[in-house]
Amino acid sequence: MPAVTITSYNPADPDDLVVAVEEPGAEAVRAAVGRARAAQGDWLAAGAAARSAALGRMADAVEAHAPELAALIVREVGKPQAEAAGEVARTAAIWRYYAQAPYAPSGAVHETAAGPGLLFTRRRPYGVAGLIAPWNFPLAIPGWKAAPALAVGNAVVLKPAPEATACALRLAELAASAGLPEDVFTVLPGGATEGAALVDTADVVSFTGSTGVGRAVVRAATERGVPVQAELGGLNAALVLPDADIEPAAGHLAAAIAGYAGQKCTATSRVIAVGAAYEPLREALVKALAAVDDTVCGPVINAGARDRLTGAVSSAVEAGAVVLAGGRVPDRAGWYVEPTLLTDVPAEHPLASEEFFGPIAVLHAAADLDEAIALANDTPHSLSTSVHTRSLDVALAAADRLDAGMVRVNAPSSGVDFHLPFGGTKGAGHGDREQGQAALDFYTVSRTVSVLPGGAA
């Protein structure tokens, strides 16, 4: 069969080919996993100090190449400059955070139920972590998957999304320069074939991407009996109460709707205005979205994404929806879509129930907090919800009742704290949470060890 080439183009300049590489194929993936499995034992045996130092050097390498990496993110995935620079800084911080993990306790000692002896638990790595990462955070998400897996002694094989191939290959080069053994941290570009082969051979699997592919990954890994986590789509809501500071709230919502063209799993796609907040919020949000420019929004990832978004807006309008802001494709090079706000979208329209991964949101009205929470929870998948109010009582009540993995009060839904658990509810995710201590737990298995004195009956 002829070789298949992976190509990655600049979303702001579709004539700019960023990288083209041949897909390695399933056999190459299996061979890489085999080499990683052979190298993993020495990586674990090297000890906490060696692993900590290697991850720290990786953080140093990312920081030393920060301007170059930010420029590559801008070019390959269309992220605005400020967000790209922020992602690079966060990537370095993630590697540095997990560089301390090898020194953390890996278990606990317990009293025996009866008699002499030693009873303790110990967490151990699985072996080879198969990581499948998306294109929208081409350095940070590979970092928050790979760093904890490596810290606890696993080897890693990473398959990036084709649209983020150049970023992943550069990450592999930095890892080599930082002293991470080649077979301990391997990057293999590829598509569905390579992803399936990785899921079929790795000892533990972490996936971030679309809901459909993620469900297939979960099924395949579960059938093999290996641990799997999957972060999938999210239909995230923002609740705005009448007592909220409307102008700041509108600014937060505009950032969460249009920031990086809405191409974040934590982006806001439903705005729920409660009671008297509706009219002032509508006016303020339309104004805030109109002020968004390329330094905030940028292009969507490719022509297919642009056409899918504009097609959804057109079909919603045909079904009775009203466009309050945006809704058009600018007359310019690149895959751009105007930040868009709609209202009166029929409940049966896909925009009301599906994630479209673009700078589009639907405005809803709710009579009170109860109705707003019910509307926010009426979704097949929710990752992050924001609540905007001056009332601590309302904020705490909403946080307790909202069915979301993360609740952010008086802040955009799109913020993430990498040292805390990250994940959604319902169909937004499967398995253990990512990031923080939760990631270290996911990439290890607990063993209970009982040691009796020699000669004991």
Side-chain angles (χ1 to χ4, degrees), residues 223-290:
E223 287 175 0
R224 291 185 55 227
V226 302
V228 57
Q229 64 180 188
E231 198 279 296
L232 311 175
L235 193 65
N236 306 308
L239 281 61
V240 182
L241 281 294
D243 68 339
D245 292 322
I246 295 297
E247 294 295 331
H252 289 154
L253 295 178
I257 293 166
Y260 188 28
Q263 297 173 124
K264 304 176 184 178
C265 53
T266 54
T268 293
S269 51
R270 296 186 299 156
V271 179
I272 304 172
V274 181
Y278 185 87
E279 291 298 335
L281 179 64
R282 180 181 63 178
E283 180 180 344
L285 186 52
V286 168
K287 181 180 177 180
L289 287 171

Short mmCIF file of all heavy atoms in Angstrom, two decimals, residues 223-290:
data_model
loop_
_atom_site.label_atom_id
_atom_site.label_comp_id
_atom_site.label_asym_id
_atom_site.label_seq_id
_atom_site.Cartn_x
_atom_site.Cartn_y
_atom_site.Cartn_z
N GLU A 223 -12.17 -3.77 26.77
CA GLU A 223 -12.18 -5.17 26.33
C GLU A 223 -10.85 -5.85 26.62
O GLU A 223 -10.80 -7.05 26.89
CB GLU A 223 -12.51 -5.24 24.84
CG GLU A 223 -13.97 -4.94 24.51
CD GLU A 223 -14.24 -4.90 23.02
OE1 GLU A 223 -13.28 -5.10 22.24
OE2 GLU A 223 -15.40 -4.66 22.64
N ARG A 224 -9.76 -5.09 26.57
CA ARG A 224 -8.45 -5.64 26.89
C ARG A 224 -8.19 -5.71 28.39
O ARG A 224 -7.23 -6.33 28.84
CB ARG A 224 -7.34 -4.78 26.25
CG ARG A 224 -7.27 -4.85 24.75
CD ARG A 224 -6.06 -4.05 24.26
NE ARG A 224 -4.84 -4.54 24.92
CZ ARG A 224 -3.91 -3.75 25.47
NH1 ARG A 224 -4.08 -2.43 25.45
NH2 ARG A 224 -2.83 -4.26 26.02
N GLY A 225 -9.02 -5.01 29.17
CA GLY A 225 -8.85 -5.01 30.61
C GLY A 225 -7.77 -4.08 31.11
O GLY A 225 -7.22 -4.29 32.19
N VAL A 226 -7.45 -3.03 30.33
CA VAL A 226 -6.43 -2.08 30.77
C VAL A 226 -7.11 -0.79 31.22
O VAL A 226 -8.17 -0.41 30.70
CB VAL A 226 -5.40 -1.78 29.66
CG1 VAL A 226 -4.71 -3.06 29.21
CG2 VAL A 226 -6.03 -1.07 28.47
N PRO A 227 -6.53 -0.08 32.19
CA PRO A 227 -7.14 1.16 32.67
C PRO A 227 -7.20 2.20 31.55
O PRO A 227 -6.25 2.33 30.75
CB PRO A 227 -6.20 1.61 33.79
CG PRO A 227 -5.42 0.40 34.16
CD PRO A 227 -5.30 -0.42 32.92
N VAL A 228 -8.28 2.96 31.49
CA VAL A 228 -8.44 3.98 30.46
C VAL A 228 -9.18 5.18 31.03
O VAL A 228 -10.11 5.03 31.82
CB VAL A 228 -9.20 3.40 29.23
CG1 VAL A 228 -10.56 2.84 29.62
CG2 VAL A 228 -9.34 4.45 28.13
N GLN A 229 -8.72 6.35 30.67
CA GLN A 229 -9.44 7.58 30.96
C GLN A 229 -9.66 8.30 29.64
O GLN A 229 -8.82 8.23 28.72
CB GLN A 229 -8.67 8.48 31.94
CG GLN A 229 -7.37 9.00 31.41
CD GLN A 229 -6.62 9.88 32.38
OE1 GLN A 229 -5.62 10.48 31.99
NE2 GLN A 229 -7.03 9.99 33.62
N ALA A 230 -10.78 8.97 29.50
CA ALA A 230 -11.09 9.68 28.27
C ALA A 230 -11.80 10.98 28.60
O ALA A 230 -12.78 10.99 29.33
CB ALA A 230 -11.99 8.82 27.36
N GLU A 231 -11.25 12.07 28.09
CA GLU A 231 -11.88 13.38 28.23
C GLU A 231 -12.50 13.70 26.88
O GLU A 231 -11.80 13.82 25.87
CB GLU A 231 -10.85 14.43 28.65
CG GLU A 231 -11.45 15.70 29.24
CD GLU A 231 -11.94 16.67 28.17
OE1 GLU A 231 -11.12 17.18 27.41
OE2 GLU A 231 -13.17 16.90 28.11
N LEU A 232 -13.84 13.85 26.86
CA LEU A 232 -14.57 13.95 25.60
C LEU A 232 -15.20 15.34 25.45
O LEU A 232 -14.67 16.32 25.94
CB LEU A 232 -15.63 12.84 25.56
CG LEU A 232 -15.09 11.44 25.92
CD1 LEU A 232 -16.22 10.42 25.99
CD2 LEU A 232 -14.04 11.00 24.94
N GLY A 233 -16.32 15.42 24.79
CA GLY A 233 -16.94 16.71 24.53
C GLY A 233 -17.63 17.28 25.75
O GLY A 233 -17.90 16.58 26.73
N GLY A 234 -17.92 18.56 25.69
CA GLY A 234 -18.64 19.23 26.76
C GLY A 234 -19.55 20.32 26.23
O GLY A 234 -19.17 21.05 25.31
N LEU A 235 -20.75 20.39 26.75
CA LEU A 235 -21.69 21.45 26.39
C LEU A 235 -21.86 22.30 27.64
O LEU A 235 -22.70 22.02 28.50
CB LEU A 235 -23.03 20.85 25.94
CG LEU A 235 -24.00 21.80 25.26
CD1 LEU A 235 -23.43 22.30 23.94
CD2 LEU A 235 -25.34 21.12 25.01
N ASN A 236 -21.03 23.33 27.75
CA ASN A 236 -20.88 24.05 29.01
C ASN A 236 -21.78 25.28 29.08
O ASN A 236 -21.93 26.01 28.10
CB ASN A 236 -19.42 24.48 29.17
CG ASN A 236 -18.48 23.31 29.04
OD1 ASN A 236 -18.64 22.29 29.70
ND2 ASN A 236 -17.49 23.43 28.15
N ALA A 237 -22.32 25.51 30.26
CA ALA A 237 -23.25 26.62 30.47
C ALA A 237 -22.63 27.70 31.35
O ALA A 237 -21.71 27.44 32.13
CB ALA A 237 -24.54 26.11 31.12
N ALA A 238 -23.17 28.91 31.21
CA ALA A 238 -22.84 30.02 32.10
C ALA A 238 -24.15 30.58 32.63
O ALA A 238 -25.06 30.91 31.86
CB ALA A 238 -22.07 31.10 31.35
N LEU A 239 -24.27 30.66 33.97
CA LEU A 239 -25.47 31.19 34.61
C LEU A 239 -25.19 32.62 35.08
O LEU A 239 -24.21 32.84 35.80
CB LEU A 239 -25.88 30.33 35.81
CG LEU A 239 -26.63 29.02 35.54
CD1 LEU A 239 -25.79 28.06 34.70
CD2 LEU A 239 -27.02 28.35 36.85
N VAL A 240 -26.04 33.55 34.68
CA VAL A 240 -25.87 34.94 35.09
C VAL A 240 -27.10 35.36 35.88
O VAL A 240 -28.21 35.40 35.35
CB VAL A 240 -25.66 35.87 33.88
CG1 VAL A 240 -25.43 37.30 34.36
CG2 VAL A 240 -24.47 35.38 33.04
N LEU A 241 -26.89 35.68 37.16
CA LEU A 241 -27.98 36.06 38.05
C LEU A 241 -28.24 37.57 37.97
O LEU A 241 -27.36 38.34 37.58
CB LEU A 241 -27.64 35.66 39.48
CG LEU A 241 -27.83 34.19 39.90
CD1 LEU A 241 -29.31 33.82 39.86
CD2 LEU A 241 -27.02 33.25 39.03
N PRO A 242 -29.43 38.01 38.37
CA PRO A 242 -29.75 39.45 38.28
C PRO A 242 -28.82 40.34 39.08
O PRO A 242 -28.64 41.51 38.74
CB PRO A 242 -31.19 39.52 38.81
CG PRO A 242 -31.75 38.16 38.59
CD PRO A 242 -30.61 37.21 38.78
N ASP A 243 -28.22 39.82 40.16
CA ASP A 243 -27.35 40.66 40.98
C ASP A 243 -25.90 40.68 40.49
O ASP A 243 -25.04 41.30 41.11
CB ASP A 243 -27.39 40.18 42.43
CG ASP A 243 -26.75 38.80 42.61
OD1 ASP A 243 -26.64 38.07 41.61
OD2 ASP A 243 -26.35 38.47 43.74
N ALA A 244 -25.62 40.01 39.39
CA ALA A 244 -24.24 39.96 38.88
C ALA A 244 -23.80 41.32 38.37
O ALA A 244 -24.62 42.17 37.96
CB ALA A 244 -24.15 38.94 37.75
N ASP A 245 -22.50 41.55 38.37
CA ASP A 245 -21.93 42.72 37.71
C ASP A 245 -21.94 42.42 36.21
O ASP A 245 -21.10 41.67 35.70
CB ASP A 245 -20.50 42.97 38.20
CG ASP A 245 -20.46 43.41 39.65
OD1 ASP A 245 -21.35 44.17 40.06
OD2 ASP A 245 -19.53 42.99 40.38
N ILE A 246 -22.89 43.00 35.52
CA ILE A 246 -23.19 42.58 34.16
C ILE A 246 -22.02 42.82 33.20
O ILE A 246 -21.68 41.94 32.40
CB ILE A 246 -24.46 43.28 33.64
CG1 ILE A 246 -25.68 42.82 34.46
CG2 ILE A 246 -24.67 42.96 32.16
CD1 ILE A 246 -25.99 41.35 34.36
N GLU A 247 -21.40 43.98 33.26
CA GLU A 247 -20.32 44.27 32.30
C GLU A 247 -19.15 43.30 32.46
O GLU A 247 -18.69 42.71 31.48
CB GLU A 247 -19.86 45.72 32.46
CG GLU A 247 -20.91 46.76 32.08
CD GLU A 247 -21.27 46.71 30.61
OE1 GLU A 247 -20.42 46.32 29.79
OE2 GLU A 247 -22.43 47.05 30.28
N PRO A 248 -18.62 43.10 33.68
CA PRO A 248 -17.56 42.10 33.83
C PRO A 248 -18.02 40.70 33.44
O PRO A 248 -17.25 39.94 32.84
CB PRO A 248 -17.20 42.18 35.31
CG PRO A 248 -17.63 43.54 35.74
CD PRO A 248 -18.85 43.84 34.94
N ALA A 249 -19.26 40.36 33.77
CA ALA A 249 -19.77 39.03 33.41
C ALA A 249 -19.79 38.86 31.89
O ALA A 249 -19.39 37.82 31.36
CB ALA A 249 -21.17 38.82 33.99
N ALA A 250 -20.23 39.89 31.18
CA ALA A 250 -20.25 39.82 29.72
C ALA A 250 -18.84 39.66 29.16
O ALA A 250 -18.62 38.93 28.19
CB ALA A 250 -20.92 41.06 29.15
N GLY A 251 -17.89 40.33 29.77
CA GLY A 251 -16.50 40.18 29.34
C GLY A 251 -16.00 38.76 29.54
O GLY A 251 -15.32 38.19 28.67
N HIS A 252 -16.33 38.17 30.70
CA HIS A 252 -15.94 36.79 30.95
C HIS A 252 -16.59 35.84 29.95
O HIS A 252 -15.95 34.91 29.44
CB HIS A 252 -16.33 36.38 32.36
CG HIS A 252 -15.51 37.03 33.43
ND1 HIS A 252 -15.97 37.22 34.71
CD2 HIS A 252 -14.25 37.53 33.42
CE1 HIS A 252 -15.03 37.81 35.44
NE2 HIS A 252 -13.98 38.00 34.67
N LEU A 253 -17.86 36.08 29.68
CA LEU A 253 -18.58 35.21 28.74
C LEU A 253 -18.01 35.33 27.33
O LEU A 253 -17.83 34.33 26.64
CB LEU A 253 -20.06 35.54 28.73
CG LEU A 253 -20.82 35.26 30.04
CD1 LEU A 253 -22.28 35.67 29.90
CD2 LEU A 253 -20.72 33.81 30.43
N ALA A 254 -17.73 36.54 26.90
CA ALA A 254 -17.15 36.74 25.56
C ALA A 254 -15.82 36.01 25.44
O ALA A 254 -15.52 35.39 24.42
CB ALA A 254 -16.98 38.22 25.27
N ALA A 255 -15.01 36.07 26.50
CA ALA A 255 -13.72 35.36 26.49
C ALA A 255 -13.92 33.85 26.42
O ALA A 255 -13.17 33.15 25.72
CB ALA A 255 -12.91 35.74 27.73
N ALA A 256 -14.92 33.35 27.15
CA ALA A 256 -15.16 31.91 27.18
C ALA A 256 -15.83 31.40 25.92
O ALA A 256 -15.69 30.23 25.56
CB ALA A 256 -16.00 31.54 28.40
N ILE A 257 -16.58 32.26 25.23
CA ILE A 257 -17.23 31.88 23.98
C ILE A 257 -16.26 31.96 22.81
O ILE A 257 -16.16 31.04 21.99
CB ILE A 257 -18.45 32.78 23.69
CG1 ILE A 257 -19.54 32.56 24.73
CG2 ILE A 257 -18.99 32.55 22.28
CD1 ILE A 257 -20.62 33.63 24.72
N ALA A 258 -15.51 33.06 22.74
CA ALA A 258 -14.71 33.35 21.54
C ALA A 258 -13.22 33.15 21.72
O ALA A 258 -12.48 33.14 20.73
CB ALA A 258 -14.98 34.78 21.08
N GLY A 259 -12.75 33.02 22.95
CA GLY A 259 -11.32 32.82 23.15
C GLY A 259 -10.83 31.59 22.41
O GLY A 259 -11.41 30.51 22.53
N TYR A 260 -9.77 31.76 21.61
CA TYR A 260 -9.26 30.70 20.74
C TYR A 260 -10.38 30.11 19.90
O TYR A 260 -10.48 28.91 19.69
CB TYR A 260 -8.54 29.63 21.56
CG TYR A 260 -7.81 28.59 20.72
CD1 TYR A 260 -7.30 28.90 19.46
CD2 TYR A 260 -7.63 27.31 21.19
CE1 TYR A 260 -6.64 27.95 18.70
CE2 TYR A 260 -6.96 26.35 20.45
CZ TYR A 260 -6.47 26.67 19.21
OH TYR A 260 -5.81 25.73 18.45
N ALA A 261 -11.26 30.99 19.42
CA ALA A 261 -12.37 30.61 18.55
C ALA A 261 -13.24 29.51 19.15
O ALA A 261 -13.81 28.68 18.44
CB ALA A 261 -11.85 30.19 17.17
N GLY A 262 -13.35 29.52 20.49
CA GLY A 262 -14.21 28.55 21.15
C GLY A 262 -13.71 27.12 21.09
O GLY A 262 -14.46 26.19 21.40
N GLN A 263 -12.45 26.93 20.74
CA GLN A 263 -11.91 25.58 20.52
C GLN A 263 -11.26 25.03 21.79
O GLN A 263 -10.12 24.59 21.80
CB GLN A 263 -10.94 25.59 19.35
CG GLN A 263 -11.62 25.99 18.04
CD GLN A 263 -10.64 26.17 16.91
OE1 GLN A 263 -10.76 25.54 15.87
NE2 GLN A 263 -9.67 27.04 17.09
N LYS A 264 -12.03 25.07 22.86
CA LYS A 264 -11.61 24.54 24.15
C LYS A 264 -12.75 23.68 24.68
O LYS A 264 -13.92 24.05 24.55
CB LYS A 264 -11.32 25.66 25.15
CG LYS A 264 -10.28 26.68 24.70
CD LYS A 264 -10.15 27.80 25.72
CE LYS A 264 -9.19 28.86 25.27
NZ LYS A 264 -9.09 29.97 26.25
N CYS A 265 -12.41 22.59 25.32
CA CYS A 265 -13.47 21.74 25.87
C CYS A 265 -14.17 22.42 27.04
O CYS A 265 -15.26 21.99 27.44
CB CYS A 265 -12.91 20.39 26.31
SG CYS A 265 -11.51 20.50 27.41
N THR A 266 -13.59 23.50 27.57
CA THR A 266 -14.21 24.24 28.66
C THR A 266 -14.90 25.52 28.19
O THR A 266 -15.35 26.32 29.01
CB THR A 266 -13.15 24.61 29.72
OG1 THR A 266 -12.08 25.31 29.07
CG2 THR A 266 -12.61 23.38 30.41
N ALA A 267 -14.98 25.73 26.88
CA ALA A 267 -15.61 26.95 26.36
C ALA A 267 -17.10 26.99 26.70
O ALA A 267 -17.75 25.96 26.86
CB ALA A 267 -15.43 27.02 24.84
N THR A 268 -17.65 28.19 26.80
CA THR A 268 -19.08 28.36 27.06
C THR A 268 -19.85 28.31 25.75
O THR A 268 -19.54 29.03 24.80
CB THR A 268 -19.34 29.72 27.74
OG1 THR A 268 -18.77 29.70 29.05
CG2 THR A 268 -20.84 29.98 27.87
N SER A 269 -20.86 27.46 25.69
CA SER A 269 -21.70 27.38 24.50
C SER A 269 -23.17 27.64 24.81
O SER A 269 -23.98 27.75 23.89
CB SER A 269 -21.56 26.00 23.83
OG SER A 269 -21.74 24.97 24.77
N ARG A 270 -23.52 27.76 26.09
CA ARG A 270 -24.89 28.11 26.48
C ARG A 270 -24.82 29.17 27.57
O ARG A 270 -24.14 28.99 28.59
CB ARG A 270 -25.65 26.90 27.00
CG ARG A 270 -25.86 25.82 25.95
CD ARG A 270 -26.74 24.71 26.48
NE ARG A 270 -26.14 24.07 27.63
CZ ARG A 270 -26.83 23.41 28.56
NH1 ARG A 270 -28.15 23.33 28.50
NH2 ARG A 270 -26.21 22.82 29.56
N VAL A 271 -25.51 30.28 27.35
CA VAL A 271 -25.59 31.36 28.33
C VAL A 271 -27.02 31.40 28.85
O VAL A 271 -27.97 31.52 28.08
CB VAL A 271 -25.23 32.71 27.69
CG1 VAL A 271 -25.35 33.83 28.72
CG2 VAL A 271 -23.81 32.66 27.12
N ILE A 272 -27.17 31.29 30.17
CA ILE A 272 -28.50 31.25 30.79
C ILE A 272 -28.65 32.49 31.66
O ILE A 272 -28.01 32.61 32.72
CB ILE A 272 -28.67 29.98 31.63
CG1 ILE A 272 -28.43 28.74 30.75
CG2 ILE A 272 -30.06 29.93 32.26
CD1 ILE A 272 -28.39 27.44 31.52
N ALA A 273 -29.46 33.42 31.20
CA ALA A 273 -29.71 34.66 31.94
C ALA A 273 -30.94 34.47 32.82
O ALA A 273 -32.00 34.06 32.35
CB ALA A 273 -29.93 35.81 30.97
N VAL A 274 -30.79 34.77 34.10
CA VAL A 274 -31.85 34.53 35.07
C VAL A 274 -32.64 35.81 35.32
O VAL A 274 -32.07 36.85 35.69
CB VAL A 274 -31.27 34.00 36.40
CG1 VAL A 274 -32.38 33.73 37.41
CG2 VAL A 274 -30.46 32.74 36.15
N GLY A 275 -33.96 35.73 35.12
CA GLY A 275 -34.86 36.83 35.43
C GLY A 275 -34.48 38.14 34.77
O GLY A 275 -34.28 38.21 33.54
N ALA A 276 -34.35 39.18 35.59
CA ALA A 276 -34.08 40.53 35.07
C ALA A 276 -32.70 40.69 34.47
O ALA A 276 -32.40 41.73 33.89
CB ALA A 276 -34.26 41.55 36.20
N ALA A 277 -31.84 39.68 34.56
CA ALA A 277 -30.50 39.78 33.96
C ALA A 277 -30.55 39.67 32.44
O ALA A 277 -29.59 40.08 31.77
CB ALA A 277 -29.59 38.69 34.52
N TYR A 278 -31.65 39.18 31.88
CA TYR A 278 -31.66 38.86 30.45
C TYR A 278 -31.39 40.07 29.56
O TYR A 278 -30.46 40.04 28.75
CB TYR A 278 -32.99 38.21 30.06
CG TYR A 278 -33.01 37.74 28.62
CD1 TYR A 278 -32.55 36.48 28.29
CD2 TYR A 278 -33.46 38.57 27.60
CE1 TYR A 278 -32.55 36.03 26.97
CE2 TYR A 278 -33.46 38.14 26.28
CZ TYR A 278 -33.00 36.87 25.96
OH TYR A 278 -32.99 36.45 24.67
N GLU A 279 -32.17 41.11 29.69
CA GLU A 279 -32.04 42.25 28.76
C GLU A 279 -30.68 42.94 28.89
O GLU A 279 -29.99 43.15 27.87
CB GLU A 279 -33.17 43.24 28.99
CG GLU A 279 -34.54 42.73 28.55
CD GLU A 279 -34.61 42.44 27.07
OE1 GLU A 279 -33.82 43.04 26.30
OE2 GLU A 279 -35.45 41.63 26.66
N PRO A 280 -30.24 43.31 30.10
CA PRO A 280 -28.93 43.95 30.18
C PRO A 280 -27.79 43.03 29.76
O PRO A 280 -26.80 43.49 29.16
CB PRO A 280 -28.80 44.37 31.65
CG PRO A 280 -29.81 43.57 32.38
CD PRO A 280 -30.92 43.31 31.43
N LEU A 281 -27.90 41.74 30.03
CA LEU A 281 -26.83 40.83 29.64
C LEU A 281 -26.80 40.68 28.12
O LEU A 281 -25.70 40.66 27.53
CB LEU A 281 -27.03 39.46 30.28
CG LEU A 281 -25.97 38.42 29.89
CD1 LEU A 281 -24.59 38.85 30.38
CD2 LEU A 281 -26.33 37.04 30.43
N ARG A 282 -27.95 40.57 27.50
CA ARG A 282 -27.97 40.44 26.04
C ARG A 282 -27.28 41.64 25.40
O ARG A 282 -26.43 41.48 24.51
CB ARG A 282 -29.42 40.35 25.54
CG ARG A 282 -29.52 40.22 24.03
CD ARG A 282 -30.95 40.15 23.56
NE ARG A 282 -31.68 41.38 23.86
CZ ARG A 282 -32.95 41.60 23.52
NH1 ARG A 282 -33.63 40.64 22.90
NH2 ARG A 282 -33.55 42.73 23.82
N GLU A 283 -27.61 42.82 25.86
CA GLU A 283 -27.00 44.03 25.28
C GLU A 283 -25.49 44.06 25.53
O GLU A 283 -24.70 44.34 24.62
CB GLU A 283 -27.66 45.26 25.90
CG GLU A 283 -27.11 46.58 25.38
CD GLU A 283 -27.79 47.77 26.01
OE1 GLU A 283 -28.87 47.60 26.62
OE2 GLU A 283 -27.24 48.89 25.91
N ALA A 284 -25.08 43.74 26.75
CA ALA A 284 -23.66 43.80 27.09
C ALA A 284 -22.87 42.71 26.37
O ALA A 284 -21.73 42.94 25.95
CB ALA A 284 -23.48 43.68 28.60
N LEU A 285 -23.45 41.53 26.22
CA LEU A 285 -22.74 40.43 25.58
C LEU A 285 -22.59 40.65 24.08
O LEU A 285 -21.54 40.35 23.50
CB LEU A 285 -23.46 39.11 25.87
CG LEU A 285 -22.77 37.84 25.38
CD1 LEU A 285 -21.32 37.77 25.86
CD2 LEU A 285 -23.55 36.61 25.85
N VAL A 286 -23.62 41.18 23.44
CA VAL A 286 -23.51 41.52 22.02
C VAL A 286 -22.39 42.54 21.81
O VAL A 286 -21.57 42.41 20.89
CB VAL A 286 -24.85 42.07 21.48
CG1 VAL A 286 -24.66 42.70 20.10
CG2 VAL A 286 -25.88 40.96 21.42
N LYS A 287 -22.32 43.52 22.68
CA LYS A 287 -21.27 44.53 22.60
C LYS A 287 -19.89 43.92 22.85
O LYS A 287 -18.93 44.22 22.13
CB LYS A 287 -21.55 45.64 23.62
CG LYS A 287 -20.54 46.77 23.61
CD LYS A 287 -20.91 47.83 24.65
CE LYS A 287 -19.88 48.95 24.70
NZ LYS A 287 -20.25 49.97 25.73
N ALA A 288 -19.80 43.05 23.83
CA ALA A 288 -18.51 42.43 24.16
C ALA A 288 -18.02 41.53 23.03
O ALA A 288 -16.83 41.51 22.70
CB ALA A 288 -18.62 41.65 25.46
N LEU A 289 -18.92 40.78 22.41
CA LEU A 289 -18.53 39.91 21.31
C LEU A 289 -18.12 40.71 20.09
O LEU A 289 -17.20 40.32 19.35
CB LEU A 289 -19.66 38.95 20.96
CG LEU A 289 -19.91 37.82 21.96
CD1 LEU A 289 -21.19 37.07 21.61
CD2 LEU A 289 -18.73 36.86 22.01
N ALA A 290 -18.78 41.84 19.86
CA ALA A 290 -18.41 42.68 18.72
C ALA A 290 -17.01 43.26 18.87
O ALA A 290 -16.35 43.57 17.88
CB ALA A 290 -19.44 43.81 18.55
#
